[in-house]
Amino acid sequence: MVKIALAGNPNCGKTMLFNALTGSNQYVGNWAGVTVEAKEGRLKGEKDVIIADLPGIYSLSPYTPEEVVARNYLVNEEPDVILNIIDGTNLERNLYLTTQLCEIGIPVVMAINMIDIVKRNGDIINTEEISEHFGCVCFEISALKGTGVKKCAKKAVELARNNRGIPPIHHSFDDRVESAVHFISAILPSGTDMLHKRYYATKIFERDSIVSAEFPECASLAESLIKDIEKYYDDDSESIIADQRYRYITKCIDECRVKSGKTPVSEKIDRIVTNKYLSLPIFAAVMFGVYYVSVTTFGGALSDIIVEKIYGENGFSFIVSNLLDAVNCAPWLKGLITDGIIAGVGSVLSFVPQIFVLFVFLSFLEDCGYMSRIAFIMDKLFRKFGLSGKSFIPILVGTGCGVPGIMSSRTIENESERRMTVITTTFIPCGAKLPVISLFASSLFGGAWWVAPSAYFTGIAAIITSGIILKKTKPFYSKPSPFVMELPPYHMPSVKSVARATTDRTLSYIKKAGTVILLASCAVWFLSNFGFYGGRFGMVMNMDNSVLAYFGNIIDVIFSPLGFGTWQASVATLLGLAAKEEIVGVFGVLYNSIGEGFNQLSGYSFLMFNLLCAPCIAAMSAIRKEMNSAKWTFFAIAYQCSFAYCVSLCIYQTGLALQTGRIGAGLICAALIFAFFVYMLLKKPYQMKYELLQNRTHK
Ligand code: GDP
Ligand code: MG
């Protein structure tokens, strides 16, 4: 059994190569921080070769949790070969990591990826020269197009199978630093793994906290030597090393690469797309288009066809019902099958086309590189409010599904910013919320164009408002962390990878319909058709006498001020916590059309509440995992629910007052809440005591 680890900077194409080599189907997105855990798979056609996809790293000095994952894997799991993926359009930054990978003591194979873009830009990279400089084989590949991938993998496997001891290091530091590194590796405790000696020594020289803590004696012995060298260069040891690495790389690149000097196409597109004035309108238009097409026009039309096939004249439901009559099926069982299962699961399934179309768009936007521009554009906007655009990436991922969205908050170093992002990520409508939006848009608003996009933009507004407000409180106070985002070059996504991502996400939606939704629909049907009536337990004629109505009636007072204080709406909200699309399932079982329970105003209020309140159970457990604290998880859920409650209350009460012309207690409450929000938005930011002191002394 041999192990090959894929290592490289974020967004250099590791996962895409991993998928190509293993035939697996991991999430590929055109920005940093998509992969946050190490994933292993088997090389296609070679049973005994394991390939590991690692989170992206810029160096072996990790800052964020997922960088630690990658480094620990490389050093502790001892892969037989490191396959270093290098983004050919950004050699400088990528080779910086290579210099460090070569020091670990494990053979390295270099794969210069994105060669299709390099060629398109007219640049030439001399891989043989690079090979000589770094002392390891180097290939040109394109994970996207599949060129060079097989050859490169074959070489890596070959190296892994006949591993010939510690590979020699080709690049070196200057004499002064080099002798210090030699000294440190000589005083490392005798049991130390020979392989990693040079790596440990350089890390101790850089005063890397983790490695220094592993070898405390050695680190303290080296301290005076390190200090001397720092004095000589008038710089700290970490920068000395970094500086010398970069010098080496610059020299190497000068010799190995010829630039054409053309302006890359990506830059031309970015001049428009990230333009100061145009960027936000373009973003709004794009997202508007995505929701409009997937919910209202194209996706909606496809859904109508499915609805017709299920419920229409001579539709599936009709056929099944006739069939059951023919076999003299018991009425309760027929009810369960047609009014429970087919109504519940069917209504969730009827949204598959819309979900599918949405996912096609999202996968395309993610893969072509536009989504990373949005984070960049948003950074400029967020910064004005003291937020960082880094928080926007989880939100982009969350548009597909909240769970990976919440997980990708791991790339945020700053603890309070990370918590804030975890709390607000699920405000963005995920794929599972789309059916709910669509159901209300079509049944109550006649498919009005603005309803679906308004859900998305309310989500963004909720995130920005919450960000601003939370940032002003002490637990969330922090300076916005710097956000250096590189804009990856645009490219036309391969049909295969978009298709893969889309079918994957759609299938998981369908799978949920066959499991969670199926069970829930049966439960809802039983509970809404059985109850105590006239002192006896049994099937009830009127659902209002059912067990479900009994329980729904206990909690529905909570929602009365929001305009949907019915037991049906309460049950739907509650079951929406299992999976958001179950809201659609519940209404499928309980109503013939949701017009029976809602008018436009209460429907919109219901929709907003369910979009913003606590997410589904899977997302809640992701929050629990990322927060790693019961207290913070509780806070997150409480905050989401209260925020949703306030928003819905304001919408419903204001709408009601406008409709009836009456001013009541409800409107006053709404006004007070609104005033509180405005106050929090305008309030001076929280400042740490010492900062206030500093400001005073400066004045
Ligand atoms: P990772 O962060 O290193 O795992 O990178 P991903 O595998 O998620 O890929 C990042 C982006 O680069 C995606 O948008 C890919 O479609 C794109 N990509 C990967 N390899 C290539 C390639 O060879 N050529 C081009 N043009 N794009 C690529
Ligand atoms: Mg990845």
Side-chain angles (χ1 to χ4, degrees), residues 63-98:
Y63 293 102
T64 61
E66 92 274 4
E67 286 176 354
V68 177
V69 169
R71 160 160 133 175
N72 286 351
Y73 192 98
L74 291 173
V75 178
N76 302 339
E77 299 279 314
E78 312 222 330
D80 298 287
V81 162
I82 298 174
L83 182 49
N84 176 207
I85 324 291
I86 293 157
D87 175 355
T89 61
N90 201 328
L91 285 180
E92 289 81 356
R93 174 161 62 65
N94 280 257
L95 289 177
Y96 181 68
L97 176 68
T98 311

Side-chain angles (χ1 to χ4, degrees), residues 474 477 479 684-699:
K474 194 171 161 197
Y477 169 82
K479 289 235 165 69
K684 266 228 189 89
Y686 175 85
Q687 277 185 314
M688 288 292 199
K689 281 212 182 77
Y690 68 83
E691 266 182 49
L692 279 174
L693 275 177
Q694 261 183 349
N695 284 352
R696 269 185 219 137
T697 42
H698 277 309
K699 277 169 201 160

Side-chain angles (χ1 to χ4, degrees), residues 10 46 63 94 98 199 240 249 262 282 318 371 389 404 410 629:
E46 305 268 354
Y63 293 102
N94 280 257
T98 311
Y199 159 76
I240 297 172
I249 293 164
K262 275 196 293 192
I282 292 179
F318 180 79
M371 283 300 192
R410 281 183 211 170
S629 126

Side-chain angles (χ1 to χ4, degrees), residues 78 119 166 168 232 238 269 282 328 353 419 437 452 463 550 605:
E78 312 222 330
K119 294 219 164 114
I166 307 171
Y232 179 84
E238 205 179 346
I269 302 177
I282 292 179
N328 273 333
R419 283 204 189 106
I437 300 170
I463 289 160
Y550 177 78
S605 160

Side-chain angles (χ1 to χ4, degrees), residues 86 91 95 98 102 108-112 125-140 155 159 167-171 248 252-253 255-257:
I86 293 157
L91 285 180
L95 289 177
T98 311
C102 289
V108 174
V109 174
M110 296 166 77
I112 308 220
I125 298 173
N126 186 337
T127 46
E128 266 161 38
E129 289 250 352
I130 293 193
S131 225
E132 254 162 50
H133 273 279
F134 285 88
C136 33
V137 273
C138 177
F139 293 92
E140 288 187 346
K155 183 75 199 175
L159 260 181
I169 309 277
H170 279 237
H171 75 94
Y248 182 83
C252 160
I253 290 177
E255 289 167 21
C256 305
R257 184 185 59 193

Side-chain angles (χ1 to χ4, degrees), residues 37-189:
E37 283 169 330
K39 298 234 168 60
E40 290 186 342
R42 270 165 214 274
L43 180 63
K44 267 195 277 186
E46 305 268 354
K47 282 230 160 53
D48 64 332
V49 179
I50 292 182
I51 306 221
D53 181 24
L54 302 180
I57 41 174
Y58 292 112
S59 77
L60 289 178
S61 299
Y63 293 102
T64 61
E66 92 274 4
E67 286 176 354
V68 177
V69 169
R71 160 160 133 175
N72 286 351
Y73 192 98
L74 291 173
V75 178
N76 302 339
E77 299 279 314
E78 312 222 330
D80 298 287
V81 162
I82 298 174
L83 182 49
N84 176 207
I85 324 291
I86 293 157
D87 175 355
T89 61
N90 201 328
L91 285 180
E92 289 81 356
R93 174 161 62 65
N94 280 257
L95 289 177
Y96 181 68
L97 176 68
T98 311
T99 58
Q100 301 184 48
L101 292 178
C102 289
E103 281 165 8
I104 298 185
I106 297 171
V108 174
V109 174
M110 296 166 77
I112 308 220
N113 192 24
M114 316 255 180
I115 208 69
D116 51 317
I117 302 183
V118 173
K119 294 219 164 114
R120 193 176 69 200
N121 293 342
D123 300 343
I124 296 165
I125 298 173
N126 186 337
T127 46
E128 266 161 38
E129 289 250 352
I130 293 193
S131 225
E132 254 162 50
H133 273 279
F134 285 88
C136 33
V137 273
C138 177
F139 293 92
E140 288 187 346
I141 68 164
S142 165
L144 181 79
K145 304 256 147 83
T147 34
V149 171
K150 280 221 180 86
K151 216 164 77 186
C152 169
K154 204 172 141 214
K155 183 75 199 175
V157 173
E158 192 186 304
L159 260 181
R161 289 226 171 98
N162 5 325
N163 193 339
R164 288 196 209 92
I166 307 171
I169 309 277
H170 279 237
H171 75 94
S172 50
F173 305 109
D174 72 4
D175 292 346
R176 213 168 249 102
V177 177
E178 201 59 42
S179 66
V181 171
H182 276 294
F183 171 74
I184 299 173
S185 57
I187 58 169
L188 278 167

Side-chain angles (χ1 to χ4, degrees), residues 11-16 28-30 113 116-117 142-144 367 491:
N11 208 36
C12 65
K14 294 177 297 302
T15 305
M16 184 158 255
V28 177
N30 203 348
N113 192 24
D116 51 317
I117 302 183
S142 165
L144 181 79
D367 208 347
H491 67 93

